[in-house]
Amino acid sequence: MTQAVKTVKLILEDGTSIEGESFGAFTSAAGEVVFSTAMTGYPENLTDPSFAGQILVLTTPMVGNYGVPGEELYESISKIFESDKIHIAGLVVNYYSEEHSHWNAAKSLGDWLKEYNIPGICGVDTRMLTKKLRENGALLGKIVAEDDVPFHDPNLDNLVAQVSPAGIRHYGSGQHKIVLVDCGTKTNIIRCFLERDVELIRVPWDYDFTALDYDGLFLSNGPGDPKMCAATIRHLQKALAQDKPIFGICLGSQLMGLAAGGDTFKLKYGHRSHNQPVKLTGTQRCYITSQNHGFAVDTATLPAEWSMLFENLNDGTCEGIKHQTKPFFSTQFHPEAAGGPEDTEYLFDDFLKAVAEYKATKVK
Ligand SMILES: NC(=O)CC[C@H](N)C(=O)O
């Protein structure tokens, strides 16, 4: 039996109202409407905690055709997904394909969204919608099924506190003891460390890690406005006064900028795709990177001992920072990829090399 088509609306705060067809959960949800131009990677993107509170528009015209994999565990974390649930508030696509075919597909995208009570709307001209978001900047919006819901700006919430784990967890065994401050970490960051001779101590966003015995500090990605993470910034400031290597990704990069005394600002519509070009400062070397962020460090506000490490070649914004003399660096993009290109995964090796060097100087 074919299912009856259920109509839903995508309503934006500027008054735009677009009618489409429901897939996933038939429910209403509000959030910040953002777009991604990535052509693949919806299992990874939807489970990336950085997307919490956001209604995600995918510009690629057909979505769902490779289904969603089943869950498998690796070291007690997901082997496939970027966290243990879907984090987006809603999904907007042009053509949704319930029919799917892939060697590891276990269910359809619509059934997966239903499991987590997340609404999807299809039949939307997502490229027209993206042009609007590029002109106006990101807008608040809502997917409305039967009951209306108020608009809600997720950037006013402490989303990191909502997605960060409650307790400390240990993973792996290896030469280097790394503290990972989990502001909403993607599991591929954990996988990247565990493939590299590391004992990982994963702590909540507001945990005072400075008293722990560790060799290097890592700050994860995460949702929302980095200025909400006052506790992490406070602890990070203590770590910046020391010499142990520090590496931050995305939100982690923004937190390092803020802890160093710099400022962050909201980009007009953010960077979300798997093909963002960045240039390594001081070279002509370009890397193609995976990105998902709406805020950035304002390079002009960085104190003299810090500088821009990577620059976005589309809009010139800061894609990472580094300290002039200490082993502290960050990337605004995602070197762990998942999905996206793996070209910058070597940065995990650079960080661990800095950790090994730091330990060697300590022994002397
Ligand atoms: N992926 C991330 O860590 C995103 C960081 C931050 N929430 C932003 O949107 O800029």
Side-chain angles (χ1 to χ4, degrees), residues 174-195:
Q175 261 201 74
H176 307 307
K177 228 184 250 183
I178 305 298
V179 165
L180 180 153
V181 182
D182 185 350
C183 296
T185 195
K186 287 173 65 188
T187 46
N188 206 39
I189 290 174
I190 300 178
R191 292 180 210 116
C192 283
F193 277 120
L194 295 183
E195 281 158 14

Side-chain angles (χ1 to χ4, degrees), residues 48 50 221-226 249-251 254 272 292-296 332 334:
D48 175 351
S50 304
N221 63 292
D225 186 339
I249 291 179
C250 212
L251 183 85
Q254 297 161 359
R272 293 177 188 85
N292 160 28
H293 61 110
F295 293 83
Q332 187 60 64
H334 287 270

Side-chain angles (χ1 to χ4, degrees), residues 192-245:
C192 283
F193 277 120
L194 295 183
E195 281 158 14
R196 288 180 163 82
D197 201 13
V198 161
E199 176 188 337
L200 203 60
I201 310 162
R202 179 182 186 182
V203 304
W205 72 285
D206 57 350
Y207 185 85
D208 186 358
F209 51 82
T210 52
L212 293 175
D213 168 32
Y214 67 93
D215 305 319
L217 178 65
F218 176 81
L219 281 305
S220 84
N221 63 292
D225 186 339
K227 288 180 185 162
M228 290 285 170
C229 300
T232 327
I233 295 168
R234 225 174 29 244
H235 300 141
L236 187 50
Q237 276 165 341
K238 287 200 238 169
L240 291 176
Q242 301 173 356
D243 300 315
K244 285 182 192 173

Side-chain angles (χ1 to χ4, degrees), residues 240 242-243 304-307 322-328 357:
L240 291 176
Q242 301 173 356
D243 300 315
E305 62 276 19
W306 289 81
S307 63
K322 69 165 185 176
H323 193 275
Q324 300 309 316
T325 53
K326 295 188 182 189
F328 305 158
E357 280 166 11

Side-chain angles (χ1 to χ4, degrees), residues 58-77:
L58 299 178
T59 57
T60 196
M62 182 194 263
V63 180
N65 47 329
Y66 64 93
V68 175
E71 181 59 300
E72 270 180 69
L73 291 182
Y74 159 81
E75 290 263 6
S76 79
I77 56 162

Side-chain angles (χ1 to χ4, degrees), residues 315-351:
D315 64 7
T317 56
C318 180
E319 286 291 348
I321 58 174
K322 69 165 185 176
H323 193 275
Q324 300 309 316
T325 53
K326 295 188 182 189
F328 305 158
F329 73 98
S330 69
T331 65
Q332 187 60 64
F333 56 87
H334 287 270
E336 82 288 358
E342 294 167 358
D343 308 27
T344 51
E345 200 185 310
Y346 74 89
L347 290 166
F348 285 89
D349 300 311
D350 282 6
F351 172 57

Side-chain angles (χ1 to χ4, degrees), residues 58-260:
L58 299 178
T59 57
T60 196
M62 182 194 263
V63 180
N65 47 329
Y66 64 93
V68 175
E71 181 59 300
E72 270 180 69
L73 291 182
Y74 159 81
E75 290 263 6
S76 79
I77 56 162
S78 175
K79 195 172 173 180
I80 308 272
F81 301 106
E82 290 308 306
S83 70
D84 56 7
K85 66 173 205 172
I86 297 182
H87 282 278
I88 58 160
L91 187 63
V92 182
V93 307
N94 180 358
Y95 182 83
Y96 166 62
S97 176
E98 170 72 16
E99 225 173 286
H100 54 274
S101 166
H102 191 268
W103 65 269
N104 72 355
K107 61 188 98 169
S108 73
L109 172 58
D111 284 346
W112 190 43
L113 287 170
K114 275 184 200 146
E115 260 174 57
Y116 292 94
N117 199 33
I118 309 292
I121 174 170
C122 61
V124 175
D125 181 348
T126 51
R127 294 178 180 206
M128 173 281 289
L129 182 58
T130 296
K131 277 190 188 165
K132 185 183 279 288
L133 295 172
R134 282 178 62 104
E135 275 151 30
N136 291 270
L139 287 165
L140 299 186
K142 51 191 177 180
I143 295 176
V144 179
E146 269 164 340
D147 299 322
D148 198 5
V149 285
F151 289 116
H152 178 69
D153 184 355
N155 295 310
L156 301 177
D157 301 335
N158 188 342
L159 296 167
V160 165
Q162 293 171 25
V163 301
S164 180
I168 301 186
R169 277 170 163 175
H170 292 257
Y171 303 88
S173 57
Q175 261 201 74
H176 307 307
K177 228 184 250 183
I178 305 298
V179 165
L180 180 153
V181 182
D182 185 350
C183 296
T185 195
K186 287 173 65 188
T187 46
N188 206 39
I189 290 174
I190 300 178
R191 292 180 210 116
C192 283
F193 277 120
L194 295 183
E195 281 158 14
R196 288 180 163 82
D197 201 13
V198 161
E199 176 188 337
L200 203 60
I201 310 162
R202 179 182 186 182
V203 304
W205 72 285
D206 57 350
Y207 185 85
D208 186 358
F209 51 82
T210 52
L212 293 175
D213 168 32
Y214 67 93
D215 305 319
L217 178 65
F218 176 81
L219 281 305
S220 84
N221 63 292
D225 186 339
K227 288 180 185 162
M228 290 285 170
C229 300
T232 327
I233 295 168
R234 225 174 29 244
H235 300 141
L236 187 50
Q237 276 165 341
K238 287 200 238 169
L240 291 176
Q242 301 173 356
D243 300 315
K244 285 182 192 173
I246 307 176
F247 177 24
I249 291 179
C250 212
L251 183 85
S253 177
Q254 297 161 359
L255 295 177
M256 281 168 73
L258 290 169

